[in-house]
């Protein structure tokens, strides 16, 4: 879908012209004397960025990527607000950005719903909004200008197709799989997509979902939830963790219980699947403790920068942009999976890839 940007607010244009005129007249005496005219000050694109928090390695890398790309050196004047996982704090930040008449707002929403009113206020003020990572569920999609992020349900489907192919190759029947879903923050786009992907896979292949409980994308909560589930269910042999931090906490709980995180389900090991593919998660893949880690690429800053520049310049741009991603394992049993008739390669993790993964 192609979109085109409108012009900025009239009062901002008039203010800019007035300031320019004042500068010209203010330096007239100098230019009359034969000196060079004063250079016009550089114009920066003002951006308000509301980030939902810093709950994971992925989130920190996402923040760093966007802040780095929207720097003064790149022509931006960035205002940053950390919402600390609170939607009401994000709403206040957006209203503040709107009142300050920024050129653009970037929003990484803590959850999908509850944005209609504040985004309508931004639209009425003719301020474009670029949503990143998670989606916003609004009645009118003109309330936001563009979105950049991942196809979270596709990530879940990749994980499930890999699990099906892997267990089939190892002679493990579908009814033998007893899966716990360690969910992310309920209502977040990633949680919805990855959970839906698992439920779709379980229904398709006949797996048993023992339990689904949220762990808010944190290591501590992942460990707490998994300890509780291990005490309640002795038959767990697959942990589907909706991000790396949760997965590491789950591994902590597995090992504390005297069991092992690995792929030998027949001999009592618990197979762990994770998402994000941050350095911390991929390190667990290299150790054989995470069987598959599906990437969710946090490096969205360059794409966001290019989008804002296109919006400001009235150029053509895409409404929705999906970031390219991979899935990593150290087991060569499954080299690709089929998604709706298309082959999706599974990347064999190497030391070199791990060294290059800075986040």
């Amino acid at each position: 879908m192609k979109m085109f940007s409108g012009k900025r607010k009239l009062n901002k244009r008039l203010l800019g012209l007035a300031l320019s005129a004042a500068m010209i007249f203010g330096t007239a005496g100098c230019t009359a004397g034969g000196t060079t005219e004063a250079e016009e000050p550089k114009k920066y694109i003002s951006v308000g960025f509301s980030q939902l928090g810093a709950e994971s390695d992925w989130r920190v890398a996402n923040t760093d990527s966007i802040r780095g790309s929207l720097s003064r050196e790149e022509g931006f004047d960035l205002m940053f607000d950390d919402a600390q996982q609170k939607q009401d704090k994000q709403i206040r930040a957006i209203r503040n950005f709107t009142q300050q008449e920024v050129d653009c707002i970037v929003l990484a929403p803590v959850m999908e719903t509850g944005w209609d009113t504040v985004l309508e206020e931004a639209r009425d003020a003719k301020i474009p909004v670029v949503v990143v990572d998670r989606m916003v569920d609004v009645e009118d999609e003109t309330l936001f200008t563009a979105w950049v992020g991942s196809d979270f349900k596709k990530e879940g489907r990749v994980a499930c197709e890999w699990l099906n192919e892997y267990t089939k190759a190892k002679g493990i029947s579908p009814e033998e799989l007893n899966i716990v879903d360690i969910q992310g923050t309920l209502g977040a786009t990633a949680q919805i997509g990855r959970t839906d992907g698992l439920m779709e896979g379980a229904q398709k292949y006949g797996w048993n979902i023992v339990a689904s409980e949220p762990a808010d994308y944190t290591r501590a909560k992942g460990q707490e939830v998994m300890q509780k589930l291990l005490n309640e269910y002795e038959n767990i042999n697959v942990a589907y963790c909706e991000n790396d931090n949760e997965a590491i906490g789950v591994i902590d709980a597995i090992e504390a219980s005297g069991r092992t995180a690995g792929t030998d389900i027949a001999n009592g090991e618990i197979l762990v699947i994770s998402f994000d593919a941050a350095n911390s998660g991929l390190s667990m893949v290299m150790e054989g403790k995470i069987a598959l880690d599906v990437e969710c690429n946090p490096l969205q800053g360059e794409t966001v920068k290019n989008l804002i520049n296109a919006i400001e310049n009235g150029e053509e741009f895409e409404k929705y942009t999906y970031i390219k991603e991979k899935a990593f394992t150290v087991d060569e049993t499954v080299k690709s999976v089929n998604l709706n008739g298309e082959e999706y390669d599974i990347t064999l993790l190497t030391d070199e890839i791990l060294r290059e993964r800075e986040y």
Side-chain angles (χ1 to χ4, degrees):
M1 179 177 179
K2 307 290 184 181
M3 297 286 293
F4 294 87
S5 170
K7 299 296 184 182
R8 305 304 308 141
K9 296 183 285 296
L10 181 60
N11 62 335
K12 293 183 77 175
R13 283 173 164 267
L14 292 175
L15 178 60
L17 290 171
L19 290 171
S20 298
M23 290 182 62
I24 291 171
F25 288 117
T27 58
C30 295
T31 55
T35 58
T36 58
E37 292 187 27
E39 291 184 6
E40 186 175 337
K42 184 174 180 179
K43 296 178 181 177
Y44 293 94
I45 299 172
S46 59
V47 178
F49 174 27
S50 174
Q51 177 61 279
L52 65 92
E55 80 287 355
S56 64
D57 299 337
W58 189 98
R59 186 65 53 194
V60 173
N62 181 247
T63 298
D64 290 345
S65 175
I66 294 174
R67 294 182 75 170
S69 295
L70 303 184
S71 65
R72 297 282 285 185
E73 292 75 14
E74 295 292 338
F76 294 89
D77 183 11
L78 181 66
M79 289 173 277
F80 174 74
D81 184 85
D82 181 345
Q84 300 173 339
Q85 303 288 327
K86 298 173 182 176
Q87 186 180 32
D88 59 343
K89 194 172 185 300
Q90 287 200 292
I91 290 172
R92 288 197 300 272
I94 294 170
R95 287 205 167 109
N96 180 51
F97 297 149
T98 301
Q99 290 167 2
Q100 295 191 52
E101 296 186 330
V102 297
D103 294 312
C104 185
I105 292 171
V106 176
L107 168 64
V110 68
M111 60 181 63
E112 290 194 351
T113 58
W115 302 104
D116 296 77
T117 300
V118 72
L119 292 186
E120 186 173 2
E121 292 169 7
R123 185 184 63 181
D124 290 347
K126 296 182 171 58
I127 300 175
V129 175
V130 176
V131 180
V132 297
D133 180 32
R134 302 174 183 178
M135 290 277 194
V136 290
D137 183 4
V138 291
E139 290 187 9
D140 181 357
E141 290 198 354
T142 67
L143 292 179
F144 65 95
T145 309
W147 173 86
V148 176
S150 301
D151 187 336
F152 299 111
K153 189 168 184 178
K154 179 180 179 181
E155 291 174 1
R157 285 171 168 163
V158 168
C160 289
E161 291 304 317
W162 178 88
L163 180 61
N164 175 62
E165 292 296 326
Y166 183 83
T167 52
K168 186 165 60 175
K170 297 297 182 180
I172 301 168
S173 61
E175 58 271 18
E176 291 181 75
L177 295 187
N178 300 300
I179 304 170
V180 289
D181 180 10
I182 311 301
Q183 299 170 304
T185 302
L186 294 181
T189 308
Q191 177 272 312
I192 294 169
R194 291 167 186 166
T195 297
D196 286 352
L198 174 61
M199 296 306 159
E200 181 184 276
Q203 184 175 16
K204 181 178 179 181
Y205 295 116
W207 302 330
N208 177 34
I209 305 297
V210 173
S212 298
E213 292 204 22
D216 297 332
Y217 297 120
T218 68
R219 178 174 181 170
K221 193 67 180 290
Q223 182 176 6
E224 176 188 327
V225 169
M226 191 62 180
Q227 284 175 340
K228 170 179 170 289
L229 294 175
L230 286 169
N231 289 333
E232 293 179 7
Y233 306 98
E234 295 182 356
N235 62 344
I236 297 170
N237 53 21
V238 177
Y240 179 95
C241 307
E242 295 189 6
N243 88 331
D244 285 338
N245 294 75
E246 289 180 344
I248 295 169
V250 163
I251 292 166
D252 291 339
I254 291 170
E255 293 178 343
S257 73
R259 297 185 65 181
T260 302
T263 56
D264 193 357
I265 293 175
N267 288 309
E269 293 186 344
I270 298 177
L271 186 151
V272 177
I273 291 174
S274 185
F275 297 85
D276 283 357
N279 183 279
S280 57
L282 292 184
S283 296
M284 294 291 100
V285 174
M286 289 296 289
E287 292 183 30
K289 296 181 179 182
I290 292 178
L292 181 77
D293 203 346
V294 183
E295 183 178 36
C296 181
N297 191 342
L299 305 182
Q300 301 168 355
E302 187 71 14
T303 302
V304 172
K305 179 187 75 173
N306 293 338
L307 265 173
I308 294 174
N309 281 326
I311 292 167
E312 285 297 304
N313 295 327
E315 298 169 354
E316 187 176 337
F317 62 90
E318 297 287 344
K319 175 86 171 181
Y320 296 93
T321 302
Y322 287 95
I323 303 296
K324 292 183 179 179
E325 297 167 338
K326 299 178 180 179
F328 299 92
T329 183
V330 291
D331 192 306
E332 296 188 63
T333 303
V334 180
K335 296 182 179 180
S336 67
V337 296
N338 188 287
L339 293 179
N340 300 321
E342 294 185 10
E343 288 297 310
Y344 184 101
D345 291 336
I346 304 298
T347 302
L348 189 66
L349 182 62
T350 64
D351 288 328
E352 183 178 1
I353 293 173
L354 181 59
R355 283 194 300 270
E356 292 174 352
R357 185 54 52 102
E358 295 181 356
Y359 55 87

